[in-house]
Amino acid sequence: MGQRLYSDWSWIYCQDVFWDSSNCVHDSASGFGSKFGTIDAMMRDKKTIRRELSDAIAAMDQAVLAEKSRAICQAVAALDEFRDASVVMLYLPIPGEVDTAPLAEIAWQQGKRVCCPKFCGDSRTMWPREILPHHACSFDTTHSLRSPASTIGIPLAEIDLVIVPAIAFDSACNRLGRGGGFYDCFLQQEKLRATTIGVGFSEQMCPKLPIEDHDTPLDAVVSDLAVFRRDQ
């Protein structure tokens, strides 16, 4: 089942180009690996940040991203919030996002229930659906999103931890998504009381993001270099 999970769950990269690391500032102390590490991202609009960071991640080597993804999953698994959770909501990654397949394996090995969002593009909503190692997934070509084929719903109140993707994060645990508003709407639901943790490559970390009233901050963000918490 594990091998099938990785072939069905993980993203597939179609390019074999290498990212020029000279464009990026790596600072293991701050946890920033983004070329925005020395630039105030507030001076940039969201569209520009999405485009530039997406291009940078897309140009990185697949093996490097896979290694970073494993490191991030291991870091999340070491957190108390993960160890104490009974139901964990992950996501089916698309290219450019942290691969959460290793985290799903750890969760199942520890007896946790795992769910992923099923997207409804027309209403910009998503529903948690329990997923097992042998479950297949579908791909929404309209919104470039992947959803589990599972029809097993999980009530919001039962979810203990939500792992959230994004194109960019900052040290205050704000996130910049793809602009669809799916996660902002989902995380603002009153019945959802789960801890929220963003996962992203260090190259996706910015000092400060442009934030609007409807943007929902997270409780923590984990990159391959550092863990950031909103209350610190």
Side-chain angles (χ1 to χ4, degrees), residues 76 82 88-91 100 103 161-165 183 195-199:
V76 172
F82 182 85
V88 178
M89 183 171 179
L90 303 178
Y91 60 87
T100 55
L103 197 55
L161 176 64
V162 180
I163 303 300
V164 185
Y183 273 95
T195 299
T196 57
I197 298 179
V199 290

Side-chain angles (χ1 to χ4, degrees), residues 49 85-86 121 139 148 172 199 214 224 232:
I49 297 173
S86 297
F139 188 79
V199 290
H214 63 268
D224 48 287
Q232 292 182 351

Side-chain angles (χ1 to χ4, degrees), residues 177-211:
R178 298 181 180 277
F182 287 96
Y183 273 95
D184 284 325
C185 292
F186 179 80
L187 297 177
Q188 290 171 6
Q189 296 182 90
E190 186 175 347
K191 292 182 179 180
L192 182 69
R193 302 297 176 89
T195 299
T196 57
I197 298 179
V199 290
F201 305 115
S202 53
E203 290 77 12
Q204 294 174 293
M205 295 301 303
C206 298
K208 192 173 184 179
L209 288 172
I211 300 302

Side-chain angles (χ1 to χ4, degrees), residues 64-83:
V64 173
L65 293 176
E67 181 179 356
K68 286 175 174 283
S69 289
R70 286 192 293 271
I72 292 168
C73 289
Q74 290 171 359
V76 172
L79 298 177
D80 291 340
E81 293 89 342
F82 182 85
R83 288 197 295 261

